[in-house]
Amino acid sequence: MAEGIMFHYRQADTPLHRTDSRVKLLSLLVLSISIVLLPPKAVFVFSLYALVLALISGLPVVSYLREGKVFLILGLMLFAGRWMSSSLPDALYITGRFFTVVLFGLLLMDSTSVEESAAALYWGVSYISKKRAGILSAQLMLTLAAVPMIFDSVTEIREARQARGDVPRRHPLRFLITFSLQVLDVLLEKADEMSLALESRSFTGTMHPDIPSMHARDYGSLACTAGILIIAAVVGQ
Amino acid sequence: MILEVQDLSYQFPNGFRALNSVSFSVEAGELLVISGKNGSGKTVLLRCLKGLYRPRQGTISLNQESFGLVFQDAESQIVGQTVEKDIAFGLENLRLPRKEITLRVREAMKTLDLLDHAHQRPRSLSGGEKRRLTIAGVLVMNPDIIALDEPFANLDYPGVLQVLEKILLLKEQGHTILLVTHELEKVLSHADRLMLLDKGSIAALGPPEAVREQAPSCGVYIPRGMPVEEMSWLKE
């Protein structure tokens, strides 16, 4: 079975992969909020920055384009809707903003492992409550780890039903109900098995990941994000 | 005696009695093969030993920390994003120092021949490699007893050989092995004893040669006329 790579961590040795997960998470938040708040012209700066990062990190763009058709369709719908209701420049701005935010998200997921994301979350929340931080980061890690399992189960069940001549179009409602129940059944069974396996590996529902110390390059990345914000603000005016 | 089980019984909430007064003991360094048809209680027995299921009655003399359980479904046991990180998962839960974790993970990867896959995503591994990864994830916790639930299930010939080789290596290193399988022809020649379970009870327990005749009546296939010493895929 072909394995999807979209929104999966990809092991690589690039500046972006080496950057601390806290810096990446913080930068994503700041950039995503700024792209909405700053004037339309600033989108160009953010898009250019995202493309440069994609180039540096060797993002498998072709595979992502193949797998991410849903984003292309959403972008096109957004563009068409906006063009009809407003103007062409406005439609270009909104669509560009959408694709840039998606690209930032892809860059984060592509270059940050689940464990690193959990550690970044733990670091952020631990200022409020260490206990909650441990629980939240463990939940994030398990959720992200379980997502591929869910997709695999759905694909397997769909293919098995197809192989037995199941045609969804014939009875769509019946298909939807029986398919959903079957997926739920399989997932509950797998979740039960997974929880026992986790228990046998001393998992207690909380985690306390090591927070690595920041390097000079991480401060450099933060400065880079700040620089992009300033440039975007200037260009936007 | 590294493990002693007395009068162990387990009943599912729906009333099904999966284990019925099971008693046995295991010597350190022993390879005990546990077999029986589906639903005979093999998996339940291992889960009771690990403390995942609470038995209805009976006693288990065992330090549960020193008991490692490798599940049948490798996928449900793998949580890490890379091979290295998955093996470290259990040790991180114990909050061991990073230095020790790195050292032990490396050692486990070396034993299971996974060093070349350290940074690979577990989901991209072959069936045999995945199974070896799950064994490494348990081995890294330094258990005295390693229990494997159907380790050859869904594996091709090279996969079975890879896993079998590593199981025997672990035995050589002094680990006690409990191996649940119904594919006796793949491994029986390496077993010190064979336990046959039937309807939650021990139907037979002893040296493979002495017990083999009772396998068919317990619903377990055993090649007719084949000497026990030839029952290993490693010898082919």
Side-chain angles (χ1 to χ4, degrees), chain B residues 191-212:
Chain B
D192 295 303
R193 285 190 300 161
L194 169 64
M195 179 197 285
L196 293 171
L197 281 174
D198 191 23
K199 292 176 189 156
S201 302
I202 297 179
L205 173 61
E209 197 56 62
V211 173
R212 62 172 292 172

mmCIF file with all atom_site columns, all heavy atoms in Angstrom, chain B residues 191-212:
data_model
loop_
_atom_site.group_PDB
_atom_site.id
_atom_site.type_symbol
_atom_site.label_atom_id
_atom_site.label_alt_id
_atom_site.label_comp_id
_atom_site.label_asym_id
_atom_site.label_entity_id
_atom_site.label_seq_id
_atom_site.pdbx_PDB_ins_code
_atom_site.Cartn_x
_atom_site.Cartn_y
_atom_site.Cartn_z
_atom_site.occupancy
_atom_site.B_iso_or_equiv
_atom_site.pdbx_formal_charge
_atom_site.auth_seq_id
_atom_site.auth_comp_id
_atom_site.auth_asym_id
_atom_site.auth_atom_id
_atom_site.pdbx_PDB_model_num
ATOM 1   N N   . ALA B 1 191 ? 12.852  -25.318 21.578 1.00 0.00 ? 191 ALA B N   1
ATOM 2   C CA  . ALA B 1 191 ? 12.119  -25.166 22.843 1.00 0.00 ? 191 ALA B CA  1
ATOM 3   C C   . ALA B 1 191 ? 12.652  -26.127 23.897 1.00 0.00 ? 191 ALA B C   1
ATOM 4   O O   . ALA B 1 191 ? 13.037  -27.258 23.594 1.00 0.00 ? 191 ALA B O   1
ATOM 5   C CB  . ALA B 1 191 ? 10.637  -25.429 22.612 1.00 0.00 ? 191 ALA B CB  1
ATOM 6   N N   . ASP B 1 192 ? 12.675  -25.646 25.129 1.00 0.00 ? 192 ASP B N   1
ATOM 7   C CA  . ASP B 1 192 ? 13.019  -26.546 26.236 1.00 0.00 ? 192 ASP B CA  1
ATOM 8   C C   . ASP B 1 192 ? 11.782  -27.329 26.652 1.00 0.00 ? 192 ASP B C   1
ATOM 9   O O   . ASP B 1 192 ? 11.869  -28.502 26.989 1.00 0.00 ? 192 ASP B O   1
ATOM 10  C CB  . ASP B 1 192 ? 13.545  -25.721 27.423 1.00 0.00 ? 192 ASP B CB  1
ATOM 11  C CG  . ASP B 1 192 ? 14.851  -25.023 27.072 1.00 0.00 ? 192 ASP B CG  1
ATOM 12  O OD1 . ASP B 1 192 ? 15.789  -25.727 26.683 1.00 0.00 ? 192 ASP B OD1 1
ATOM 13  O OD2 . ASP B 1 192 ? 14.910  -23.785 27.148 1.00 0.00 ? 192 ASP B OD2 1
ATOM 14  N N   . ARG B 1 193 ? 10.635  -26.629 26.629 1.00 0.00 ? 193 ARG B N   1
ATOM 15  C CA  . ARG B 1 193 ? 9.379   -27.313 26.975 1.00 0.00 ? 193 ARG B CA  1
ATOM 16  C C   . ARG B 1 193 ? 8.263   -26.764 26.090 1.00 0.00 ? 193 ARG B C   1
ATOM 17  O O   . ARG B 1 193 ? 8.365   -25.663 25.541 1.00 0.00 ? 193 ARG B O   1
ATOM 18  C CB  . ARG B 1 193 ? 9.019   -27.070 28.447 1.00 0.00 ? 193 ARG B CB  1
ATOM 19  C CG  . ARG B 1 193 ? 9.876   -27.890 29.413 1.00 0.00 ? 193 ARG B CG  1
ATOM 20  C CD  . ARG B 1 193 ? 9.330   -27.814 30.814 1.00 0.00 ? 193 ARG B CD  1
ATOM 21  N NE  . ARG B 1 193 ? 9.291   -26.453 31.318 1.00 0.00 ? 193 ARG B NE  1
ATOM 22  C CZ  . ARG B 1 193 ? 8.539   -26.056 32.340 1.00 0.00 ? 193 ARG B CZ  1
ATOM 23  N NH1 . ARG B 1 193 ? 7.721   -26.909 32.942 1.00 0.00 ? 193 ARG B NH1 1
ATOM 24  N NH2 . ARG B 1 193 ? 8.564   -24.809 32.762 1.00 0.00 ? 193 ARG B NH2 1
ATOM 25  N N   . LEU B 1 194 ? 7.230   -27.555 25.984 1.00 0.00 ? 194 LEU B N   1
ATOM 26  C CA  . LEU B 1 194 ? 6.054   -27.147 25.209 1.00 0.00 ? 194 LEU B CA  1
ATOM 27  C C   . LEU B 1 194 ? 4.830   -27.215 26.123 1.00 0.00 ? 194 LEU B C   1
ATOM 28  O O   . LEU B 1 194 ? 4.628   -28.224 26.815 1.00 0.00 ? 194 LEU B O   1
ATOM 29  C CB  . LEU B 1 194 ? 5.875   -28.091 24.011 1.00 0.00 ? 194 LEU B CB  1
ATOM 30  C CG  . LEU B 1 194 ? 4.560   -27.987 23.229 1.00 0.00 ? 194 LEU B CG  1
ATOM 31  C CD1 . LEU B 1 194 ? 4.412   -26.625 22.562 1.00 0.00 ? 194 LEU B CD1 1
ATOM 32  C CD2 . LEU B 1 194 ? 4.483   -29.085 22.153 1.00 0.00 ? 194 LEU B CD2 1
ATOM 33  N N   . MET B 1 195 ? 4.066   -26.126 26.121 1.00 0.00 ? 195 MET B N   1
ATOM 34  C CA  . MET B 1 195 ? 2.823   -26.128 26.895 1.00 0.00 ? 195 MET B CA  1
ATOM 35  C C   . MET B 1 195 ? 1.662   -26.088 25.917 1.00 0.00 ? 195 MET B C   1
ATOM 36  O O   . MET B 1 195 ? 1.630   -25.239 25.022 1.00 0.00 ? 195 MET B O   1
ATOM 37  C CB  . MET B 1 195 ? 2.749   -24.901 27.811 1.00 0.00 ? 195 MET B CB  1
ATOM 38  C CG  . MET B 1 195 ? 1.469   -24.832 28.629 1.00 0.00 ? 195 MET B CG  1
ATOM 39  S SD  . MET B 1 195 ? 1.163   -23.186 29.327 1.00 0.00 ? 195 MET B SD  1
ATOM 40  C CE  . MET B 1 195 ? 2.349   -23.138 30.643 1.00 0.00 ? 195 MET B CE  1
ATOM 41  N N   . LEU B 1 196 ? 0.722   -26.992 26.056 1.00 0.00 ? 196 LEU B N   1
ATOM 42  C CA  . LEU B 1 196 ? -0.465  -26.984 25.194 1.00 0.00 ? 196 LEU B CA  1
ATOM 43  C C   . LEU B 1 196 ? -1.658  -26.537 26.009 1.00 0.00 ? 196 LEU B C   1
ATOM 44  O O   . LEU B 1 196 ? -1.942  -27.110 27.071 1.00 0.00 ? 196 LEU B O   1
ATOM 45  C CB  . LEU B 1 196 ? -0.704  -28.390 24.630 1.00 0.00 ? 196 LEU B CB  1
ATOM 46  C CG  . LEU B 1 196 ? 0.353   -28.903 23.641 1.00 0.00 ? 196 LEU B CG  1
ATOM 47  C CD1 . LEU B 1 196 ? 0.129   -30.382 23.337 1.00 0.00 ? 196 LEU B CD1 1
ATOM 48  C CD2 . LEU B 1 196 ? 0.335   -28.095 22.348 1.00 0.00 ? 196 LEU B CD2 1
ATOM 49  N N   . LEU B 1 197 ? -2.299  -25.506 25.533 1.00 0.00 ? 197 LEU B N   1
ATOM 50  C CA  . LEU B 1 197 ? -3.484  -25.002 26.221 1.00 0.00 ? 197 LEU B CA  1
ATOM 51  C C   . LEU B 1 197 ? -4.727  -25.432 25.453 1.00 0.00 ? 197 LEU B C   1
ATOM 52  O O   . LEU B 1 197 ? -4.734  -25.428 24.216 1.00 0.00 ? 197 LEU B O   1
ATOM 53  C CB  . LEU B 1 197 ? -3.459  -23.473 26.290 1.00 0.00 ? 197 LEU B CB  1
ATOM 54  C CG  . LEU B 1 197 ? -2.579  -22.817 27.354 1.00 0.00 ? 197 LEU B CG  1
ATOM 55  C CD1 . LEU B 1 197 ? -2.569  -21.307 27.174 1.00 0.00 ? 197 LEU B CD1 1
ATOM 56  C CD2 . LEU B 1 197 ? -3.043  -23.164 28.758 1.00 0.00 ? 197 LEU B CD2 1
ATOM 57  N N   . ASP B 1 198 ? -5.749  -25.812 26.191 1.00 0.00 ? 198 ASP B N   1
ATOM 58  C CA  . ASP B 1 198 ? -7.016  -26.185 25.566 1.00 0.00 ? 198 ASP B CA  1
ATOM 59  C C   . ASP B 1 198 ? -8.157  -25.702 26.461 1.00 0.00 ? 198 ASP B C   1
ATOM 60  O O   . ASP B 1 198 ? -8.211  -26.053 27.644 1.00 0.00 ? 198 ASP B O   1
ATOM 61  C CB  . ASP B 1 198 ? -7.068  -27.706 25.383 1.00 0.00 ? 198 ASP B CB  1
ATOM 62  C CG  . ASP B 1 198 ? -8.233  -28.122 24.501 1.00 0.00 ? 198 ASP B CG  1
ATOM 63  O OD1 . ASP B 1 198 ? -8.702  -27.273 23.709 1.00 0.00 ? 198 ASP B OD1 1
ATOM 64  O OD2 . ASP B 1 198 ? -8.674  -29.277 24.609 1.00 0.00 ? 198 ASP B OD2 1
ATOM 65  N N   . LYS B 1 199 ? -9.006  -24.879 25.905 1.00 0.00 ? 199 LYS B N   1
ATOM 66  C CA  . LYS B 1 199 ? -10.152 -24.320 26.639 1.00 0.00 ? 199 LYS B CA  1
ATOM 67  C C   . LYS B 1 199 ? -9.724  -23.696 27.969 1.00 0.00 ? 199 LYS B C   1
ATOM 68  O O   . LYS B 1 199 ? -10.367 -23.896 29.001 1.00 0.00 ? 199 LYS B O   1
ATOM 69  C CB  . LYS B 1 199 ? -11.208 -25.396 26.881 1.00 0.00 ? 199 LYS B CB  1
ATOM 70  C CG  . LYS B 1 199 ? -11.865 -25.849 25.587 1.00 0.00 ? 199 LYS B CG  1
ATOM 71  C CD  . LYS B 1 199 ? -12.833 -26.969 25.850 1.00 0.00 ? 199 LYS B CD  1
ATOM 72  C CE  . LYS B 1 199 ? -13.316 -27.556 24.545 1.00 0.00 ? 199 LYS B CE  1
ATOM 73  N NZ  . LYS B 1 199 ? -13.778 -28.922 24.655 1.00 0.00 ? 199 LYS B NZ  1
ATOM 74  N N   . GLY B 1 200 ? -8.613  -22.986 27.950 1.00 0.00 ? 200 GLY B N   1
ATOM 75  C CA  . GLY B 1 200 ? -8.175  -22.255 29.136 1.00 0.00 ? 200 GLY B CA  1
ATOM 76  C C   . GLY B 1 200 ? -7.445  -23.083 30.172 1.00 0.00 ? 200 GLY B C   1
ATOM 77  O O   . GLY B 1 200 ? -7.086  -22.560 31.228 1.00 0.00 ? 200 GLY B O   1
ATOM 78  N N   . SER B 1 201 ? -7.212  -24.364 29.892 1.00 0.00 ? 201 SER B N   1
ATOM 79  C CA  . SER B 1 201 ? -6.495  -25.199 30.844 1.00 0.00 ? 201 SER B CA  1
ATOM 80  C C   . SER B 1 201 ? -5.246  -25.781 30.193 1.00 0.00 ? 201 SER B C   1
ATOM 81  O O   . SER B 1 201 ? -5.179  -25.883 28.962 1.00 0.00 ? 201 SER B O   1
ATOM 82  C CB  . SER B 1 201 ? -7.374  -26.373 31.305 1.00 0.00 ? 201 SER B CB  1
ATOM 83  O OG  . SER B 1 201 ? -8.549  -25.875 31.878 1.00 0.00 ? 201 SER B OG  1
ATOM 84  N N   . ILE B 1 202 ? -4.298  -26.165 31.020 1.00 0.00 ? 202 ILE B N   1
ATOM 85  C CA  . ILE B 1 202 ? -3.089  -26.787 30.469 1.00 0.00 ? 202 ILE B CA  1
ATOM 86  C C   . ILE B 1 202 ? -3.416  -28.256 30.147 1.00 0.00 ? 202 ILE B C   1
ATOM 87  O O   . ILE B 1 202 ? -3.722  -29.051 31.045 1.00 0.00 ? 202 ILE B O   1
ATOM 88  C CB  . ILE B 1 202 ? -1.918  -26.697 31.465 1.00 0.00 ? 202 ILE B CB  1
ATOM 89  C CG1 . ILE B 1 202 ? -1.561  -25.225 31.721 1.00 0.00 ? 202 ILE B CG1 1
ATOM 90  C CG2 . ILE B 1 202 ? -0.694  -27.448 30.932 1.00 0.00 ? 202 ILE B CG2 1
ATOM 91  C CD1 . ILE B 1 202 ? -0.426  -25.009 32.703 1.00 0.00 ? 202 ILE B CD1 1
ATOM 92  N N   . ALA B 1 203 ? -3.328  -28.574 28.864 1.00 0.00 ? 203 ALA B N   1
ATOM 93  C CA  . ALA B 1 203 ? -3.617  -29.945 28.449 1.00 0.00 ? 203 ALA B CA  1
ATOM 94  C C   . ALA B 1 203 ? -2.364  -30.806 28.555 1.00 0.00 ? 203 ALA B C   1
ATOM 95  O O   . ALA B 1 203 ? -2.453  -32.012 28.801 1.00 0.00 ? 203 ALA B O   1
ATOM 96  C CB  . ALA B 1 203 ? -4.135  -29.950 27.012 1.00 0.00 ? 203 ALA B CB  1
ATOM 97  N N   . ALA B 1 204 ? -1.222  -30.184 28.347 1.00 0.00 ? 204 ALA B N   1
ATOM 98  C CA  . ALA B 1 204 ? 0.045   -30.913 28.445 1.00 0.00 ? 204 ALA B CA  1
ATOM 99  C C   . ALA B 1 204 ? 1.169   -29.928 28.652 1.00 0.00 ? 204 ALA B C   1
ATOM 100 O O   . ALA B 1 204 ? 1.125   -28.803 28.141 1.00 0.00 ? 204 ALA B O   1
ATOM 101 C CB  . ALA B 1 204 ? 0.288   -31.715 27.176 1.00 0.00 ? 204 ALA B CB  1
ATOM 102 N N   . LEU B 1 205 ? 2.190   -30.345 29.383 1.00 0.00 ? 205 LEU B N   1
ATOM 103 C CA  . LEU B 1 205 ? 3.357   -29.484 29.597 1.00 0.00 ? 205 LEU B CA  1
ATOM 104 C C   . LEU B 1 205 ? 4.554   -30.395 29.842 1.00 0.00 ? 205 LEU B C   1
ATOM 105 O O   . LEU B 1 205 ? 4.537   -31.253 30.718 1.00 0.00 ? 205 LEU B O   1
ATOM 106 C CB  . LEU B 1 205 ? 3.124   -28.571 30.815 1.00 0.00 ? 205 LEU B CB  1
ATOM 107 C CG  . LEU B 1 205 ? 4.305   -27.729 31.271 1.00 0.00 ? 205 LEU B CG  1
ATOM 108 C CD1 . LEU B 1 205 ? 4.766   -26.758 30.194 1.00 0.00 ? 205 LEU B CD1 1
ATOM 109 C CD2 . LEU B 1 205 ? 3.939   -26.921 32.532 1.00 0.00 ? 205 LEU B CD2 1
ATOM 110 N N   . GLY B 1 206 ? 5.579   -30.200 29.022 1.00 0.00 ? 206 GLY B N   1
ATOM 111 C CA  . GLY B 1 206 ? 6.772   -31.029 29.199 1.00 0.00 ? 206 GLY B CA  1
ATOM 112 C C   . GLY B 1 206 ? 7.716   -30.882 28.027 1.00 0.00 ? 206 GLY B C   1
ATOM 113 O O   . GLY B 1 206 ? 7.520   -30.019 27.158 1.00 0.00 ? 206 GLY B O   1
ATOM 114 N N   . PRO B 1 207 ? 8.741   -31.729 27.966 1.00 0.00 ? 207 PRO B N   1
ATOM 115 C CA  . PRO B 1 207 ? 9.666   -31.672 26.830 1.00 0.00 ? 207 PRO B CA  1
ATOM 116 C C   . PRO B 1 207 ? 8.900   -31.898 25.527 1.00 0.00 ? 207 PRO B C   1
ATOM 117 O O   . PRO B 1 207 ? 7.975   -32.740 25.500 1.00 0.00 ? 207 PRO B O   1
ATOM 118 C CB  . PRO B 1 207 ? 10.632  -32.829 27.104 1.00 0.00 ? 207 PRO B CB  1
ATOM 119 C CG  . PRO B 1 207 ? 10.503  -33.103 28.563 1.00 0.00 ? 207 PRO B CG  1
ATOM 120 C CD  . PRO B 1 207 ? 9.103   -32.761 28.938 1.00 0.00 ? 207 PRO B CD  1
ATOM 121 N N   . PRO B 1 208 ? 9.269   -31.201 24.463 1.00 0.00 ? 208 PRO B N   1
ATOM 122 C CA  . PRO B 1 208 ? 8.498   -31.293 23.209 1.00 0.00 ? 208 PRO B CA  1
ATOM 123 C C   . PRO B 1 208 ? 8.268   -32.731 22.741 1.00 0.00 ? 208 PRO B C   1
ATOM 124 O O   . PRO B 1 208 ? 7.174   -33.067 22.295 1.00 0.00 ? 208 PRO B O   1
ATOM 125 C CB  . PRO B 1 208 ? 9.378   -30.528 22.214 1.00 0.00 ? 208 PRO B CB  1
ATOM 126 C CG  . PRO B 1 208 ? 10.142  -29.579 23.033 1.00 0.00 ? 208 PRO B CG  1
ATOM 127 C CD  . PRO B 1 208 ? 10.366  -30.221 24.357 1.00 0.00 ? 208 PRO B CD  1
ATOM 128 N N   . GLU B 1 209 ? 9.275   -33.557 22.859 1.00 0.00 ? 209 GLU B N   1
ATOM 129 C CA  . GLU B 1 209 ? 9.167   -34.934 22.383 1.00 0.00 ? 209 GLU B CA  1
ATOM 130 C C   . GLU B 1 209 ? 8.059   -35.687 23.125 1.00 0.00 ? 209 GLU B C   1
ATOM 131 O O   . GLU B 1 209 ? 7.325   -36.495 22.530 1.00 0.00 ? 209 GLU B O   1
ATOM 132 C CB  . GLU B 1 209 ? 10.524  -35.642 22.571 1.00 0.00 ? 209 GLU B CB  1
ATOM 133 C CG  . GLU B 1 209 ? 10.701  -36.910 21.776 1.00 0.00 ? 209 GLU B CG  1
ATOM 134 C CD  . GLU B 1 209 ? 10.484  -36.713 20.273 1.00 0.00 ? 209 GLU B CD  1
ATOM 135 O OE1 . GLU B 1 209 ? 11.235  -35.939 19.649 1.00 0.00 ? 209 GLU B OE1 1
ATOM 136 O OE2 . GLU B 1 209 ? 9.546   -37.329 19.752 1.00 0.00 ? 209 GLU B OE2 1
ATOM 137 N N   . ALA B 1 210 ? 7.939   -35.388 24.418 1.00 0.00 ? 210 ALA B N   1
ATOM 138 C CA  . ALA B 1 210 ? 6.964   -36.108 25.245 1.00 0.00 ? 210 ALA B CA  1
ATOM 139 C C   . ALA B 1 210 ? 5.539   -35.583 25.043 1.00 0.00 ? 210 ALA B C   1
ATOM 140 O O   . ALA B 1 210 ? 4.569   -36.310 25.277 1.00 0.00 ? 210 ALA B O   1
ATOM 141 C CB  . ALA B 1 210 ? 7.362   -35.968 26.717 1.00 0.00 ? 210 ALA B CB  1
ATOM 142 N N   . VAL B 1 211 ? 5.415   -34.345 24.607 1.00 0.00 ? 211 VAL B N   1
ATOM 143 C CA  . VAL B 1 211 ? 4.096   -33.702 24.570 1.00 0.00 ? 211 VAL B CA  1
ATOM 144 C C   . VAL B 1 211 ? 3.508   -33.664 23.160 1.00 0.00 ? 211 VAL B C   1
ATOM 145 O O   . VAL B 1 211 ? 2.300   -33.562 22.978 1.00 0.00 ? 211 VAL B O   1
ATOM 146 C CB  . VAL B 1 211 ? 4.238   -32.257 25.146 1.00 0.00 ? 211 VAL B CB  1
ATOM 147 C CG1 . VAL B 1 211 ? 2.963   -31.477 24.993 1.00 0.00 ? 211 VAL B CG1 1
ATOM 148 C CG2 . VAL B 1 211 ? 4.646   -32.299 26.603 1.00 0.00 ? 211 VAL B CG2 1
ATOM 149 N N   . ARG B 1 212 ? 4.349   -33.814 22.152 1.00 0.00 ? 212 ARG B N   1
ATOM 150 C CA  . ARG B 1 212 ? 3.928   -33.581 20.769 1.00 0.00 ? 212 ARG B CA  1
ATOM 151 C C   . ARG B 1 212 ? 2.717   -34.405 20.347 1.00 0.00 ? 212 ARG B C   1
ATOM 152 O O   . ARG B 1 212 ? 1.883   -33.934 19.570 1.00 0.00 ? 212 ARG B O   1
ATOM 153 C CB  . ARG B 1 212 ? 5.089   -33.826 19.796 1.00 0.00 ? 212 ARG B CB  1
ATOM 154 C CG  . ARG B 1 212 ? 5.620   -35.253 19.806 1.00 0.00 ? 212 ARG B CG  1
ATOM 155 C CD  . ARG B 1 212 ? 6.616   -35.463 18.702 1.00 0.00 ? 212 ARG B CD  1
ATOM 156 N NE  . ARG B 1 212 ? 5.974   -35.396 17.402 1.00 0.00 ? 212 ARG B NE  1
ATOM 157 C CZ  . ARG B 1 212 ? 6.634   -35.403 16.256 1.00 0.00 ? 212 ARG B CZ  1
ATOM 158 N NH1 . ARG B 1 212 ? 7.940   -35.436 16.260 1.00 0.00 ? 212 ARG B NH1 1
ATOM 159 N NH2 . ARG B 1 212 ? 5.996   -35.363 15.113 1.00 0.00 ? 212 ARG B NH2 1
#
